[in-house]
């Protein structure tokens, strides 16, 4: 009778094990593939780690080297990031205000890093300084370039708009800001804004003075976490509270 397929190789393996055992060498059988979550694409945690790795790579690509070690440490900021991870459309906007050097931008990039590390289903990010944004949106000789740039900023999943309120106010800046914020407000897209101006100040200039009443009204509903940051300029050795 023909020997069953594989029987010879199985017998050889047993013989090899007997020889090794006789020499005091322990034979450890291979673990089944499904016992190792690191190597099991069917495991839910494996997929979360894969998404997190992809999102963190996108975060690093969008983050300047200065903020490559950014970490969200303020409870209000981490809470907003966790909310954005759990319910993207319900996160609203995070507004960080305070004087120059209090760590607003560091916290903002840290919030985005925290979201990425959570392994979101999707992670698209644009981070831009407001002065650069207005510069890129000014009319140019390239037909439609400004409109394409504005649409990209309006539609991206996560937008970090840094230093809003530092540019010179004009009807044009108000209109651009309105179109950007209005789109993100209507489509419930998570937005992080930092500004040296307070959200509201009856005794001096505030963010409302810069963005205008239409944008201020939308921000009032859109902002779900307002974080005033106080303290000395960290770049000069101070420490924000």
């Amino acid at each position: 009778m023909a020997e069953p397929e594989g029987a010879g190789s199985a017998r050889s393996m047993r013989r090899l094990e007997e020889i090794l055992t006789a020499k005091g060498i322990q034979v450890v059988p291979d673990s089944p593939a499904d016992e190792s979550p690191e190597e099991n694409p069917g495991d839910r945690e494996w997929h979360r780690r894969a998404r997190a790795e992809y999102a963190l790579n996108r975060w690093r690509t969008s983050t300047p080297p200065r903020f490559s070690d950014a970490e969200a440490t303020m409870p209000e900021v981490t809470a907003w990031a966790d909310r954005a991870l759990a319910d993207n459309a319900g996160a609203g906007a995070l507004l960080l205000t305070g004087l120059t050097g209090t760590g607003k931008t560091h916290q903002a990039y840290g919030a985005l890093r925290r979201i990425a590390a959570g392994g979101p289903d999707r992670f698209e990010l644009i981070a831009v300084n407001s002065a650069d944004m207005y510069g890129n949106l000014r009319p140019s000789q390239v037909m439609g370039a400004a409109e394409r740039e504005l649409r990209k900023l309006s539609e991206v999943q996560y937008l970090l708009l840094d230093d809003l309120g530092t540019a010179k106010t004009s009807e044009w800046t108000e209109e651009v800001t309105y179109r950007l914020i209005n789109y993100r407000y209507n489509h419930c897209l998570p937005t992080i804004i930092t500004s040296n101006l307070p959200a509201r100040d009856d005794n001096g200039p505030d963010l409302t003075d810069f963005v205008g009443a239409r944008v201020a009204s939308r921000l009032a509903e859109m902002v779900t976490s307002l974080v005033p940051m106080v303290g000395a300029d960290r770049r000069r050795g101070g420490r924000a509270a």
Side-chain angles (χ1 to χ4, degrees), residues 41-201:
D43 181 77
R44 181 175 297 179
E45 178 59 19
W46 185 93
H47 281 284
R48 189 202 66 78
R49 287 196 301 271
R51 292 195 306 269
E53 182 179 355
Y54 171 80
L56 284 169
N57 283 336
R58 297 202 72 165
W59 177 84
R60 293 185 190 99
T61 301
S62 303
T63 300
R66 176 69 62 188
F67 302 104
S68 60
D69 63 344
E71 181 180 355
T73 56
M74 301 185 70
E76 303 96 324
V77 178
T78 58
W80 183 87
D82 292 343
R83 198 160 59 243
L85 183 61
D87 179 15
N88 201 252
L94 168 65
L95 175 58
L96 297 152
T97 64
L99 298 177
T100 298
T102 50
K104 302 181 297 296
T105 305
H106 184 95
Q107 291 291 323
Y109 277 109
L112 292 165
R113 181 180 191 174
R114 186 179 179 92
I115 295 170
D121 292 334
R122 187 167 63 93
F123 189 80
E124 298 171 355
L125 164 66
I126 293 178
V128 63
N129 181 280
S130 65
D132 292 333
M133 180 188 74
Y134 293 123
N136 293 336
L137 293 176
R138 292 195 181 280
S140 69
Q141 295 179 345
V142 181
M143 184 83 61
E147 284 297 318
R148 286 193 295 273
E149 180 68 17
L150 180 57
R151 186 167 62 250
K152 186 169 64 173
L153 294 170
S154 299
E155 296 177 354
V156 71
Q157 183 186 15
Y158 292 102
L159 174 68
L160 165 54
L161 185 54
D162 201 22
D163 278 340
L164 183 63
T166 55
K168 185 177 180 180
T169 308
S170 68
E171 289 185 6
W172 180 80
T173 59
E174 279 194 21
E175 185 63 26
V176 166
T177 308
Y178 168 75
R179 291 182 59 191
L180 174 65
I181 296 300
N182 184 61
Y183 186 96
R184 300 190 67 79
Y185 167 79
N186 286 337
H187 291 80
C188 302
L189 294 171
T191 308
I192 301 179
I193 300 170
T194 75
S195 179
N196 292 346
L197 297 171
R200 190 76 182 174
D201 188 347

